[in-house]
DNA sequence: GGAATAGTGTCTCTGAGACATTATGAA
DNA sequence: TTCATAATGTCTCAGAGACACTATTCC
């Protein structure tokens, strides 16, 4: 045994936190198309004071993991998630320069094509917190300046979103109650980053039973008014347990494996 | 604010644990085919004393999450994982009747068509722990008797495995260095639970560049000796950490607005 | 009518599954 | 020779993509 580092043996256990990557769809002033945006929170303390970070906080003693994620989503944006799913548990030793923190991260989709270009952002007219701001989720400059390992976290969340939208009915959670097929296609194009054939896309969507045609049409356009559709499937805002539905997406790339050497003391299975 | 429950405010924070669902492939005496097995640990204390549970334990202060998973895998089976991936973080309030525990669960694949029918199991010749035993992973009776919420955890792990094997090259991690195509097919059939057409399966496998034919043949069979193949892809024993994103994406979609309600207390972003 | 988008029809290509056929070694 | 499995070939069908074509509205 190694008793060299006595201080190490006295360390407090890793802290537990819950953070959330929140995506909304929003008109991009520069590009003129819709892009993915996310709210960030400016840190007011060290470490990374002044930098932008994902909203998050400690896990309340009487809070489920998902409740904690929804809670800091509400606190940050004033919004309720249309979709909420656990992303990953990040537990690296050096995530924070101070105390070790294990973060269980969720990702969420919210509606809201809100106002406030430089300010509150989607749905944020009510809020005037200078320490909260919305940014383009795929802006490299934004990602590069994030605190902690939040850049990796956001990039992984984007990857998950893309793989989820590929086969799932996720798009309507970024849209309103009624939508045109072209709007759904725009969501897919925004997330996947490529143009889709309108005719084939329409055929696919009409094949899914959860998208139902209404007898309304979107007026006010310059040309022929498109029919409005609505989503008739499950609209529970959050996915509770582990996600059992649908198909797989992609395999996870490897990173490294560290294997201990001998099997020292026997397993102590005193915890679930 | 509600200061009613003073005891609640004194509660210690949730404990953090890491558990692992370990799968191996093994000949089933009754059925004559290979099936999935997993090692369980008998609890020696309350709660659930005497019941079987997943191997696990607290997270060491100087241990990454995957190290902790690999460590209790080694302690339980004496084996090193051929594959290791984070499964999910379980944090329900009532998982344990005593203190609240948040478990970060990994799932693993190990090789070993080991000995010891009722005993140590795959690769377990070295160990003689009466509190460790291997069981059929899909045996309802086994699942029904597990401690805590481990039944749900194993079922979710099985679901992940099935979805992973569908398109990934996972099978070779349950096999040895060289294998026949029929063996790979057996793995798929065991995991997916259905028979596969040998001809079509062969065609698909030969299409993947990571499976390479050797000039050896498996001798000793009763009939025509099948050719041996080997895996030439990535063999890092563990795939941990989130997958790294690949492509960028763009945005451009619909129009809609939803307005939020109120915004309670402000976020406290003091943790990653 | 012209422009632009909504919406339909049709062709091809590809991959999966069903299944017939040939090859080869052991008993 | 017979048997069982290895290995290959062929047919069909369904879904995805490419793309031509019609429909409807505003200007």
């Amino acid at each position: 045994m190694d008793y060299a580092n006595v201080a190490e043996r006295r360390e407090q256990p890793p802290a537990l936190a819950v953070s959330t990557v929140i995506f909304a769809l929003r008109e991009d002033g520069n590009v003129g198309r819709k892009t993915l945006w996310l709210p960030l929170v400016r840190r007011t303390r060290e470490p990374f004071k002044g930098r932008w970070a994902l909203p998050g906080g400690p896990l309340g003693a009487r809070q489920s993991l998902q409740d904690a994620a929804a809670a800091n989503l509400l606190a940050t944006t004033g919004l309720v998630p249309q979709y909420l799913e656990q992303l990953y548990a990040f537990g690296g030793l050096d995530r924070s320069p101070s105390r070790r923190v294990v973060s269980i991260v969720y990702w969420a989709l919210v509606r809201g094509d809100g106002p406030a270009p430089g300010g509150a952002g989607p749905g944020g007219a009510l809020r005037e917190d200078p320490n909260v701001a919305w940014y383009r989720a795929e802006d490299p400059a934004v990602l590069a300046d994030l605190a902690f390992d939040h850049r990796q976290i956001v990039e992984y969340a984007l990857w998950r979103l893309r793989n989820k939208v590929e086969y799932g009915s996720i798009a309507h959670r970024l849209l309103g109650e009624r939508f045109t097929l072209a709007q759904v296609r725009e969501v897919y194009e925004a997330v996947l980053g490529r143009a889709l054939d309108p005719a084939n896309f329409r055929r696919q969507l009409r094949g899914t039973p959860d998208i139902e045609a209404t007898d309304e049409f979107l007026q006010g356009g310059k040309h022929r008014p498109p029919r409005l559709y609505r989503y008739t499937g499950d609209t529970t805002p959050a996915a509770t347990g582990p996600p059992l539905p649908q198909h797989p997406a992609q395999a996870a790339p490897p990173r490294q494996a560290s294997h201990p050497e001998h099997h020292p003391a026997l397993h102590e299975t005193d915890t679930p």
Side-chain angles (χ1 to χ4, degrees), chain A:
Chain A
M1 285 297 281
D2 175 23
Y3 296 102
N5 194 340
V6 177
E8 177 177 316
R9 304 177 74 233
R10 280 193 194 146
E11 272 173 3
Q12 45 189 349
L16 191 53
V18 175
S19 297
T20 311
V21 185
I22 305 161
F23 292 119
L25 207 60
R26 202 180 148 195
E27 195 80 40
D28 189 330
N30 300 335
V31 196
R33 314 168 298 184
K34 302 242 177 170
T35 51
L36 287 169
W37 291 66
L38 85 175
L40 297 174
V41 177
R42 200 201 316 265
R43 287 190 56 78
T44 58
R45 318 178 206 181
E46 295 294 348
F48 295 101
K49 182 175 179 179
R51 303 272 288 277
W52 294 96
L54 293 171
L59 175 65
R62 281 261 162 273
Q63 227 175 7
S64 74
L65 298 175
Q66 179 183 311
D67 285 349
N72 66 50
L73 192 158
L74 181 65
T76 307
T77 65
L79 297 173
V80 162
Q82 297 298 314
Y83 187 74
L84 183 61
E85 180 189 310
Q86 190 178 303
L87 180 67
Y88 200 77
F90 295 84
L93 294 168
D94 302 320
R95 299 185 62 239
S96 171
S98 46
R99 184 182 179 183
R100 180 179 179 192
V101 178
V102 173
S103 289
I104 298 176
V105 181
Y106 279 72
W107 69 282
L109 299 178
V110 298
R111 290 178 188 168
D113 186 32
L126 303 172
R127 316 205 71 263
E128 279 309 325
D129 190 329
N131 289 323
V132 174
W134 288 74
Y135 289 99
R136 282 202 48 187
E138 295 168 283
D139 185 333
V142 170
L143 293 176
D145 272 345
L146 291 179
F148 303 107
D149 54 354
H150 290 187
R151 178 205 174 115
Q152 284 76 22
I153 295 177
V154 171
E155 285 175 343
Y156 181 44
L158 282 167
W159 178 87
R160 264 282 259 285
L161 171 59
R162 288 189 196 106
N163 281 306
K164 205 86 181 179
V165 86
E166 264 183 19
Y167 53 88
S169 30
I170 282 297
H172 72 279
R173 307 194 117 109
L174 288 165
L175 299 170
E177 190 66 24
R178 316 248 149 159
F179 44 82
T180 68
L181 294 189
Q183 286 173 332
V184 180
R185 178 166 51 84
E186 281 174 326
V187 174
Y188 275 72
E189 289 179 341
V191 171
L192 297 178
R194 68 171 194 271
L196 301 172
D197 183 285
N200 296 328
F201 186 83
R202 160 180 304 271
R203 191 178 47 189
Q204 284 185 332
L205 268 205
R206 305 226 40 175
T208 74
D210 288 343
I211 302 273
E212 188 180 82
T214 71
D215 50 1
E216 302 169 60
F217 293 81
L218 178 62
Q219 304 295 341
K222 294 183 180 177
H223 304 289
R224 173 177 177 179
R227 181 182 292 273
L228 287 171
Y229 292 78
R230 65 193 187 89
Y231 183 75
T232 60
D234 185 10
T235 51
T236 42
T240 302
L244 292 178
Q246 318 204 16
H247 290 265
Q250 275 274 3
R255 182 167 296 178
Q256 238 309 1
S258 39
H259 18 233
E261 294 314 316
H262 314 296
H263 34 89
L266 235 319
H267 42 79
E268 283 297 315
T269 312
D270 200 29
T271 48

